């Protein structure tokens, strides 16, 4: 039994069934026993591997895209290059290596990393030691200015709430204790629910939504619309919702969400249409699949160059990032820009 298990049981004993978003927030970010606060989970020796950890090609393509947007928008001064949830700092390192080759982009730019885990912040400081970076815990702490923001596998880590249709009523899903074990439970849905649930639904239907995701998307959209820039959100998910997508992964395997809290990564699929709506008045480009996006940016050419050093490794990485049965179609790319800005490269190119 983990210490966090006891903390959660105590809180449930005191306050009753715990909402799913509270459970997820404690599991991931409890200051002492949270999943991200106690470890670096990324990479082959960790619990999961993300695209930037698969190959430098991923971050290089994103860097090219960001450099193009910056130049399309008239090379604004005082730009902010921001990453949400930077993991090991690998993606930002690869982006900066590319931007360094485009004259002018990095002059006077502020590089800001939004990270709540002290452990990962230390890893990022080592990866990015050659650069002048600023760390904050929350997007709200960053100054205003043209914002060039990237978030890879960040939004899936934000806590979700779940409503379930039971006997023709919507109830909120949560966690309760039975014989010392955490089991799923229900509570009446609070009045303050931030979305409209359909008046009719079949029994057992589940609707999932993330209030922090909506808030952060709203903040990004407002900043971009007012000060210029763009955002690129890459994650697994779909255009609409798809029921209960909360999942736990430990040591590269699916695990039970309620088992050993704090010891597995908990994520939920990102509902991109809701993110795009929350980001208004920023304009959302049509949603793209990661594989097609990277291919259009020229990842194939970059792979040819890198093959000279490691043909098999590069071919494997390219397949992992773009293959339809790998990350190529499950992962989606959402681009945001100000209403009056030029269309986003690739994402808004005429087909
Ligand atoms: N983007 C990285 C890491 C993805 S893992 C990559 O692609 O490899 C999720 C990251 O988001 C971790 O760095 C985690 O610590 C961070 N994170 C999760 N929830 C957060 C929150 N609410 N605020 C800031 N960072 C958060």
């Amino acid at each position: 039994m983990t210490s966090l298990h006891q903390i959660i049981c105590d809180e449930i004993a005191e306050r009753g069934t715990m909402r799913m978003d509270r459970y997820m927030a404690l599991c991931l970010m409890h200051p002492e026993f949270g999943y991200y606060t106690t470890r670096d989970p990324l990479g082959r020796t960790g619990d999961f591997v993300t695209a930037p950890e698969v190959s430098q090609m991923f971050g290089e393509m994103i860097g090219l895209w960001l450099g193009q947007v910056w130049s399309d928008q008239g090379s604004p001064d005082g730009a902010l290059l921001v990453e949400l949830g930077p993991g090991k700092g690998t993606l930002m390192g690869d982006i900066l290596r590319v931007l360094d080759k485009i004259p002018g982009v990095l002059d006077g730019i502020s590089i800001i990393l939004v990270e709540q885990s002290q452990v990962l912040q230390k890893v990022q400081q080592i990866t990015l030691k050659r650069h002048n970076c600023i760390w904050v815990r929350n997007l709200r702490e960053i100054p205003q200015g043209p914002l060039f923001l990237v978030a890879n596998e960040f939004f899936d880590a934000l806590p979700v709430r779940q409503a379930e249709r039971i006997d023709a009523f919507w109830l909120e899903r949560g966690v309760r204790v039975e014989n010392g074990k955490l089991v799923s439970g229900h509570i009446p849905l609070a009045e303050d629910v931030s979305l409209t649930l359909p008046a009719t639904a079949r029994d057992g239907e589940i609707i999932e939504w993330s209030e922090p995701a909506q808030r952060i998307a709203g903040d990004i959209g407002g900043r971009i619309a007012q000060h210029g820039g763009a955002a690129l959100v890459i994650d697994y998910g779909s255009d609409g919702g798809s029921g209960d997508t909360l999942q736990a992964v430990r040591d590269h395997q699916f695990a039970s969400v309620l088992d050993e809290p704090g010891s597995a990564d908990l994520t939920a699929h990102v509902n991109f249409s809701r993110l795009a709506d929350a980001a208004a008045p920023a304009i959302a480009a049509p949603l793209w699949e990661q594989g097609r996006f990277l291919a259009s940016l020229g990842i194939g050419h970059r792979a040819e160059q890198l093959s000279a050093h490691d043909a098999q490794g590069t071919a494997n990485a390219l397949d992992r990032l773009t293959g339809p049965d790998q990350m190529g179609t499950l992962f989606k790319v959402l681009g945001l820009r100000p209403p009056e800005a030029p269309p986003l490269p690739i994402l808004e190119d005429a087909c």
Side-chain angles (χ1 to χ4, degrees):
M1 204 195 289
T2 58
S3 313
L4 192 55
H5 178 104
Q6 197 50 54
I7 292 169
I8 289 169
C9 287
D10 291 349
E11 188 170 316
I12 293 172
E14 200 180 310
R15 300 191 204 160
T17 299
M18 179 182 281
R19 257 170 41 184
M20 226 55 216
D21 54 342
R22 170 79 179 149
Y23 177 73
M24 196 170 166
L26 287 173
C27 287
L28 293 180
M29 287 294 179
H30 183 279
E32 225 181 316
F33 304 112
Y35 179 73
Y36 281 115
T37 36
T38 50
R39 78 201 72 203
D40 167 7
L42 290 142
R44 268 166 242 295
T45 53
D47 288 315
F48 59 96
V49 177
T50 56
E53 302 306 323
V54 170
S55 165
Q56 68 187 75
M57 295 186 285
F58 179 78
E60 289 172 351
M61 294 302 117
I62 308 285
L64 278 178
W65 187 88
L66 287 169
Q68 185 64 52
V69 179
W70 178 79
S71 131
D72 288 350
Q73 292 192 10
S75 314
D77 287 334
L80 313 168
L81 176 61
V82 175
E83 183 176 356
L84 305 181
K88 287 178 184 289
T90 310
L91 174 56
M92 184 55 89
D94 293 336
I95 289 173
L96 290 171
R97 202 173 51 254
V98 168
L99 291 183
D100 200 27
K101 294 190 166 53
I102 307 174
V105 189
L106 293 183
D107 302 343
I109 207 167
S110 302
I111 306 163
I112 305 176
L113 298 133
V114 181
E115 178 57 79
Q116 286 194 359
S117 154
Q118 294 290 336
V119 175
L120 285 172
Q121 196 188 110
K122 287 209 178 76
V123 178
Q124 292 153 21
Q125 277 162 347
I126 294 168
T127 312
L128 298 168
K129 59 181 181 301
R130 288 191 308 109
H131 302 279
N132 215 345
C133 303
I134 301 162
W135 274 266
V136 297
R137 287 175 54 82
N138 204 300
L139 183 62
R140 284 194 301 265
E141 294 169 46
I142 71 170
Q144 298 291 343
L147 175 68
F148 294 84
L149 178 142
V150 61
N152 184 62
E153 289 207 44
F154 166 78
F155 278 94
D156 65 61
L158 298 178
V160 291
R161 292 175 69 176
Q162 292 182 328
E164 184 171 358
R165 189 77 170 174
I166 295 174
D167 295 334
F169 284 101
W170 286 111
L171 291 179
E172 177 133 16
R173 288 184 102 201
V175 181
R176 62 189 177 85
V177 184
E178 202 174 83
N179 301 325
K181 283 191 71 175
L182 298 177
V183 294
S184 128
H186 293 92
I187 33 175
L189 202 58
E191 298 281 316
D192 64 345
V193 166
S194 65
L195 82 169
T196 315
L197 293 160
T200 58
R202 53 175 177 72
D203 253 25
E205 188 164 328
I206 291 173
I207 292 189
E208 199 173 71
W209 72 102
S210 169
E211 285 166 2
Q214 305 292 105
R215 257 198 317 274
I216 293 170
D219 189 356
I220 295 171
R223 283 167 183 266
I224 287 175
Q226 201 180 346
H227 301 282
L232 199 63
V233 175
I234 306 162
D235 224 308
Y236 41 90
S238 58
D239 233 334
S242 41
D244 173 16
T245 71
L246 190 56
Q247 65 182 37
V249 168
R250 188 186 298 116
D251 195 16
H252 304 270
Q253 311 270 335
F254 287 114
S256 157
V257 169
L258 300 179
D259 254 11
E260 298 179 50
S263 73
D265 185 31
L266 295 189
T267 61
H269 283 210
V270 173
N271 184 327
F272 282 100
S273 50
R274 241 185 246 141
L275 271 197
D277 288 349
I283 301 291
L287 197 63
W288 274 55
E289 288 174 350
Q290 172 172 303
R292 216 175 125 231
F293 178 64
L294 294 176
S296 301
L297 278 164
I299 196 170
H301 298 293
R302 183 65 178 131
E304 275 171 32
Q305 290 176 330
L306 292 174
S307 289
H309 308 285
D310 175 9
Q312 194 55 52
T314 306
N316 291 346
L318 183 64
D319 183 48
R320 185 91 191 264
L321 293 175
T322 61
D325 54 343
Q326 306 270 324
M327 297 171 124
T329 52
L330 176 63
F331 281 75
K332 310 290 190 306
V333 180
L334 176 71
L336 300 169
R337 65 160 168 89
E340 69 286 0
L344 292 171
I346 310 287
L347 299 175
E348 291 186 278
D349 283 357
C351 297

